[in-house]
mmCIF file of all heavy atoms in Angstrom:
data_model
loop_
_atom_site.group_PDB
_atom_site.id
_atom_site.type_symbol
_atom_site.label_atom_id
_atom_site.label_comp_id
_atom_site.label_asym_id
_atom_site.label_seq_id
_atom_site.Cartn_x
_atom_site.Cartn_y
_atom_site.Cartn_z
ATOM 1 N N GLN A 3 -93.350 -174.352 -54.973
ATOM 2 C CA GLN A 3 -93.046 -172.949 -54.699
ATOM 3 C C GLN A 3 -91.902 -172.776 -53.705
ATOM 4 O O GLN A 3 -91.321 -171.698 -53.595
ATOM 5 C CB GLN A 3 -94.292 -172.245 -54.156
ATOM 6 C CG GLN A 3 -95.441 -172.167 -55.158
ATOM 7 C CD GLN A 3 -96.735 -171.703 -54.507
ATOM 8 O OE1 GLN A 3 -96.776 -171.430 -53.306
ATOM 9 N NE2 GLN A 3 -97.796 -171.619 -55.298
ATOM 10 N N LEU A 4 -91.581 -173.832 -52.961
ATOM 11 C CA LEU A 4 -90.593 -173.728 -51.890
ATOM 12 C C LEU A 4 -89.245 -174.293 -52.315
ATOM 13 O O LEU A 4 -89.169 -175.160 -53.183
ATOM 14 C CB LEU A 4 -91.094 -174.486 -50.649
ATOM 15 C CG LEU A 4 -92.459 -174.053 -50.098
ATOM 16 C CD1 LEU A 4 -92.869 -174.963 -48.947
ATOM 17 C CD2 LEU A 4 -92.413 -172.606 -49.632
ATOM 18 N N THR A 5 -88.208 -173.821 -51.691
ATOM 19 C CA THR A 5 -86.895 -174.423 -51.881
ATOM 20 C C THR A 5 -86.834 -175.706 -51.063
ATOM 21 O O THR A 5 -87.685 -175.951 -50.195
ATOM 22 C CB THR A 5 -85.785 -173.477 -51.421
ATOM 23 O OG1 THR A 5 -85.915 -173.269 -50.005
ATOM 24 C CG2 THR A 5 -85.872 -172.139 -52.148
ATOM 25 N N VAL A 6 -85.808 -176.516 -51.306
ATOM 26 C CA VAL A 6 -85.693 -177.774 -50.564
ATOM 27 C C VAL A 6 -85.571 -177.522 -49.056
ATOM 28 O O VAL A 6 -86.251 -178.177 -48.260
ATOM 29 C CB VAL A 6 -84.505 -178.605 -51.099
ATOM 30 C CG1 VAL A 6 -84.288 -179.840 -50.225
ATOM 31 C CG2 VAL A 6 -84.759 -179.019 -52.547
ATOM 32 N N PRO A 7 -84.750 -176.595 -48.606
ATOM 33 C CA PRO A 7 -84.703 -176.331 -47.160
ATOM 34 C C PRO A 7 -86.053 -175.860 -46.617
ATOM 35 O O PRO A 7 -86.445 -176.220 -45.502
ATOM 36 C CB PRO A 7 -83.628 -175.239 -47.028
ATOM 37 C CG PRO A 7 -82.766 -175.417 -48.235
ATOM 38 C CD PRO A 7 -83.697 -175.829 -49.325
ATOM 39 N N GLU A 8 -86.761 -175.027 -47.398
ATOM 40 C CA GLU A 8 -88.068 -174.541 -46.953
ATOM 41 C C GLU A 8 -89.077 -175.678 -46.841
ATOM 42 O O GLU A 8 -89.956 -175.653 -45.972
ATOM 43 C CB GLU A 8 -88.586 -173.478 -47.924
ATOM 44 C CG GLU A 8 -87.828 -172.151 -47.834
ATOM 45 C CD GLU A 8 -88.231 -171.185 -48.942
ATOM 46 O OE1 GLU A 8 -88.758 -171.656 -49.986
ATOM 47 O OE2 GLU A 8 -88.021 -169.975 -48.773
ATOM 48 N N LEU A 9 -88.944 -176.683 -47.723
ATOM 49 C CA LEU A 9 -89.851 -177.835 -47.655
ATOM 50 C C LEU A 9 -89.749 -178.517 -46.305
ATOM 51 O O LEU A 9 -90.760 -178.870 -45.683
ATOM 52 C CB LEU A 9 -89.512 -178.846 -48.759
ATOM 53 C CG LEU A 9 -90.063 -178.607 -50.155
ATOM 54 C CD1 LEU A 9 -89.563 -179.674 -51.107
ATOM 55 C CD2 LEU A 9 -91.591 -178.615 -50.127
ATOM 56 N N HIS A 10 -88.524 -178.715 -45.854
ATOM 57 C CA HIS A 10 -88.316 -179.417 -44.585
ATOM 58 C C HIS A 10 -88.782 -178.583 -43.398
ATOM 59 O O HIS A 10 -89.132 -179.139 -42.347
ATOM 60 C CB HIS A 10 -86.831 -179.772 -44.425
ATOM 61 C CG HIS A 10 -86.368 -180.829 -45.380
ATOM 62 N ND1 HIS A 10 -86.567 -182.176 -45.167
ATOM 63 C CD2 HIS A 10 -85.725 -180.729 -46.575
ATOM 64 C CE1 HIS A 10 -86.063 -182.867 -46.178
ATOM 65 N NE2 HIS A 10 -85.545 -182.016 -47.049
ATOM 66 N N ALA A 11 -88.829 -177.278 -43.575
ATOM 67 C CA ALA A 11 -89.215 -176.406 -42.464
ATOM 68 C C ALA A 11 -90.692 -176.041 -42.467
ATOM 69 O O ALA A 11 -91.226 -175.585 -41.449
ATOM 70 C CB ALA A 11 -88.366 -175.124 -42.494
ATOM 71 N N ASP A 12 -91.365 -176.252 -43.610
ATOM 72 C CA ASP A 12 -92.752 -175.809 -43.737
ATOM 73 C C ASP A 12 -93.682 -176.635 -42.839
ATOM 74 O O ASP A 12 -93.721 -177.864 -42.924
ATOM 75 C CB ASP A 12 -93.207 -175.933 -45.201
ATOM 76 C CG ASP A 12 -94.559 -175.285 -45.409
ATOM 77 O OD1 ASP A 12 -94.606 -174.076 -45.643
ATOM 78 O OD2 ASP A 12 -95.576 -176.011 -45.320
ATOM 79 N N LYS A 13 -94.450 -175.945 -41.994
ATOM 80 C CA LYS A 13 -95.338 -176.641 -41.060
ATOM 81 C C LYS A 13 -96.639 -177.084 -41.720
ATOM 82 O O LYS A 13 -97.320 -177.967 -41.216
ATOM 83 C CB LYS A 13 -95.637 -175.731 -39.863
ATOM 84 C CG LYS A 13 -94.419 -175.434 -39.003
ATOM 85 C CD LYS A 13 -94.776 -174.575 -37.799
ATOM 86 C CE LYS A 13 -93.541 -174.306 -36.942
ATOM 87 N NZ LYS A 13 -93.871 -173.461 -35.756
ATOM 88 N N GLY A 14 -96.977 -176.440 -42.835
ATOM 89 C CA GLY A 14 -98.208 -176.826 -43.521
ATOM 90 C C GLY A 14 -98.082 -178.169 -44.209
ATOM 91 O O GLY A 14 -98.916 -179.062 -44.036
ATOM 92 N N LEU A 15 -97.005 -178.334 -44.977
ATOM 93 C CA LEU A 15 -96.779 -179.622 -45.641
ATOM 94 C C LEU A 15 -96.343 -180.698 -44.648
ATOM 95 O O LEU A 15 -96.667 -181.871 -44.807
ATOM 96 C CB LEU A 15 -95.707 -179.473 -46.728
ATOM 97 C CG LEU A 15 -96.137 -178.779 -48.017
ATOM 98 C CD1 LEU A 15 -94.957 -178.616 -48.955
ATOM 99 C CD2 LEU A 15 -97.249 -179.561 -48.706
ATOM 100 N N HIS A 16 -95.603 -180.278 -43.647
ATOM 101 C CA HIS A 16 -95.166 -181.195 -42.593
ATOM 102 C C HIS A 16 -94.448 -182.409 -43.190
ATOM 103 O O HIS A 16 -94.849 -183.565 -42.987
ATOM 104 C CB HIS A 16 -96.368 -181.635 -41.752
ATOM 105 C CG HIS A 16 -95.981 -182.239 -40.424
ATOM 106 N ND1 HIS A 16 -95.235 -181.566 -39.501
ATOM 107 C CD2 HIS A 16 -96.231 -183.463 -39.886
ATOM 108 C CE1 HIS A 16 -95.043 -182.327 -38.437
ATOM 109 N NE2 HIS A 16 -95.635 -183.491 -38.648
ATOM 110 N N LEU A 17 -93.395 -182.149 -43.960
ATOM 111 C CA LEU A 17 -92.587 -183.212 -44.540
ATOM 112 C C LEU A 17 -91.794 -183.883 -43.429
ATOM 113 O O LEU A 17 -90.953 -183.251 -42.789
ATOM 114 C CB LEU A 17 -91.642 -182.618 -45.597
ATOM 115 C CG LEU A 17 -90.758 -183.586 -46.364
ATOM 116 C CD1 LEU A 17 -91.592 -184.441 -47.303
ATOM 117 C CD2 LEU A 17 -89.697 -182.820 -47.148
ATOM 118 N N GLU A 18 -92.051 -185.165 -43.179
ATOM 119 C CA GLU A 18 -91.382 -185.826 -42.066
ATOM 120 C C GLU A 18 -90.949 -187.240 -42.437
ATOM 121 O O GLU A 18 -91.525 -187.876 -43.329
ATOM 122 C CB GLU A 18 -92.289 -185.881 -40.841
ATOM 123 C CG GLU A 18 -93.558 -186.690 -41.017
ATOM 124 C CD GLU A 18 -94.384 -186.751 -39.742
ATOM 125 O OE1 GLU A 18 -94.099 -185.998 -38.806
ATOM 126 O OE2 GLU A 18 -95.319 -187.578 -39.696
ATOM 127 N N SER A 19 -89.915 -187.708 -41.771
ATOM 128 C CA SER A 19 -89.404 -189.055 -42.001
ATOM 129 C C SER A 19 -90.380 -190.092 -41.469
ATOM 130 O O SER A 19 -91.245 -189.799 -40.636
ATOM 131 C CB SER A 19 -88.043 -189.231 -41.322
ATOM 132 O OG SER A 19 -87.115 -188.289 -41.812
ATOM 133 N N VAL A 20 -90.222 -191.310 -41.959
ATOM 134 C CA VAL A 20 -91.075 -192.417 -41.524
ATOM 135 C C VAL A 20 -90.288 -193.283 -40.552
ATOM 136 O O VAL A 20 -89.206 -193.784 -40.887
ATOM 137 C CB VAL A 20 -91.545 -193.258 -42.729
ATOM 138 C CG1 VAL A 20 -92.340 -194.471 -42.273
ATOM 139 C CG2 VAL A 20 -92.386 -192.397 -43.663
ATOM 140 N N ASP A 21 -90.827 -193.448 -39.358
ATOM 141 C CA ASP A 21 -90.152 -194.209 -38.314
ATOM 142 C C ASP A 21 -89.976 -195.664 -38.745
ATOM 143 O O ASP A 21 -90.897 -196.298 -39.263
ATOM 144 C CB ASP A 21 -90.968 -194.136 -37.022
ATOM 145 C CG ASP A 21 -90.229 -194.755 -35.849
ATOM 146 O OD1 ASP A 21 -88.990 -194.612 -35.790
ATOM 147 O OD2 ASP A 21 -90.896 -195.402 -35.008
ATOM 148 N N LYS A 22 -88.788 -196.207 -38.541
ATOM 149 C CA LYS A 22 -88.461 -197.610 -38.837
ATOM 150 C C LYS A 22 -88.666 -197.966 -40.305
ATOM 151 O O LYS A 22 -88.960 -199.114 -40.649
ATOM 152 C CB LYS A 22 -89.280 -198.553 -37.949
ATOM 153 C CG LYS A 22 -89.010 -198.382 -36.462
ATOM 154 C CD LYS A 22 -89.856 -199.343 -35.629
ATOM 155 C CE LYS A 22 -89.595 -199.156 -34.148
ATOM 156 N NZ LYS A 22 -90.444 -200.078 -33.317
ATOM 157 N N ALA A 23 -88.509 -196.996 -41.186
ATOM 158 C CA ALA A 23 -88.678 -197.259 -42.620
ATOM 159 C C ALA A 23 -87.500 -198.071 -43.145
ATOM 160 O O ALA A 23 -86.351 -197.829 -42.771
ATOM 161 C CB ALA A 23 -88.787 -195.949 -43.388
ATOM 162 N N ARG A 24 -87.793 -199.031 -44.038
ATOM 163 C CA ARG A 24 -86.730 -199.822 -44.655
ATOM 164 C C ARG A 24 -86.011 -199.034 -45.741
ATOM 165 O O ARG A 24 -84.933 -199.413 -46.163
ATOM 166 C CB ARG A 24 -87.321 -201.112 -45.232
ATOM 167 C CG ARG A 24 -87.998 -201.986 -44.185
ATOM 168 C CD ARG A 24 -87.046 -202.333 -43.031
ATOM 169 N NE ARG A 24 -85.950 -203.148 -43.482
ATOM 170 C CZ ARG A 24 -85.978 -204.485 -43.506
ATOM 171 N NH1 ARG A 24 -87.063 -205.128 -43.082
ATOM 172 N NH2 ARG A 24 -84.950 -205.166 -43.921
ATOM 173 N N ASP A 25 -86.638 -197.950 -46.187
ATOM 174 C CA ASP A 25 -85.998 -197.039 -47.141
ATOM 175 C C ASP A 25 -85.869 -195.689 -46.447
ATOM 176 O O ASP A 25 -86.873 -195.031 -46.143
ATOM 177 C CB ASP A 25 -86.843 -196.912 -48.414
ATOM 178 C CG ASP A 25 -86.085 -196.240 -49.553
ATOM 179 O OD1 ASP A 25 -85.338 -195.289 -49.279
ATOM 180 O OD2 ASP A 25 -86.259 -196.669 -50.707
ATOM 181 N N SER A 26 -84.631 -195.271 -46.181
ATOM 182 C CA SER A 26 -84.399 -194.050 -45.395
ATOM 183 C C SER A 26 -84.888 -192.789 -46.098
ATOM 184 O O SER A 26 -84.994 -191.728 -45.479
ATOM 185 C CB SER A 26 -82.899 -193.910 -45.094
ATOM 186 O OG SER A 26 -82.158 -193.802 -46.312
ATOM 187 N N ARG A 27 -85.209 -192.890 -47.384
ATOM 188 C CA ARG A 27 -85.673 -191.717 -48.144
ATOM 189 C C ARG A 27 -87.176 -191.501 -48.026
ATOM 190 O O ARG A 27 -87.707 -190.512 -48.564
ATOM 191 C CB ARG A 27 -85.282 -191.881 -49.611
ATOM 192 C CG ARG A 27 -83.789 -191.976 -49.859
ATOM 193 C CD ARG A 27 -83.481 -192.440 -51.263
ATOM 194 N NE ARG A 27 -83.961 -193.801 -51.500
ATOM 195 C CZ ARG A 27 -83.850 -194.453 -52.656
ATOM 196 N NH1 ARG A 27 -83.273 -193.847 -53.689
ATOM 197 N NH2 ARG A 27 -84.312 -195.678 -52.784
ATOM 198 N N MET A 28 -87.880 -192.399 -47.365
ATOM 199 C CA MET A 28 -89.334 -192.295 -47.252
ATOM 200 C C MET A 28 -89.734 -191.096 -46.399
ATOM 201 O O MET A 28 -89.205 -190.870 -45.307
ATOM 202 C CB MET A 28 -89.921 -193.563 -46.637
ATOM 203 C CG MET A 28 -90.038 -194.727 -47.586
ATOM 204 S SD MET A 28 -91.321 -194.434 -48.817
ATOM 205 C CE MET A 28 -91.253 -196.000 -49.711
ATOM 206 N N ARG A 29 -90.711 -190.308 -46.916
ATOM 207 C CA ARG A 29 -91.261 -189.169 -46.201
ATOM 208 C C ARG A 29 -92.784 -189.164 -46.372
ATOM 209 O O ARG A 29 -93.319 -189.755 -47.318
ATOM 210 C CB ARG A 29 -90.709 -187.839 -46.753
ATOM 211 C CG ARG A 29 -89.199 -187.731 -46.763
ATOM 212 C CD ARG A 29 -88.637 -187.516 -45.361
ATOM 213 N NE ARG A 29 -87.211 -187.227 -45.420
ATOM 214 C CZ ARG A 29 -86.263 -188.156 -45.417
ATOM 215 N NH1 ARG A 29 -86.602 -189.443 -45.375
ATOM 216 N NH2 ARG A 29 -84.982 -187.819 -45.453
#
């Protein structure tokens, strides 16, 4: 239901990067 920018801002889903990930795309 959300746009890509909204995904990154949504506090409910809490899309976040993974610290020290070997793949920078990991969330």
Side-chain angles (χ1 to χ4, degrees):
Q3 295 169 1
L4 303 175
T5 64
V6 174
E8 288 172 338
L9 277 177
H10 291 278
D12 189 86
K13 294 182 179 180
L15 285 176
H16 197 58
L17 183 69
E18 63 178 12
S19 301
V20 176
D21 187 36
K22 298 180 181 179
R24 300 304 295 270
D25 193 321
S26 61
R27 299 167 296 179
M28 282 290 183
R29 305 286 188 272

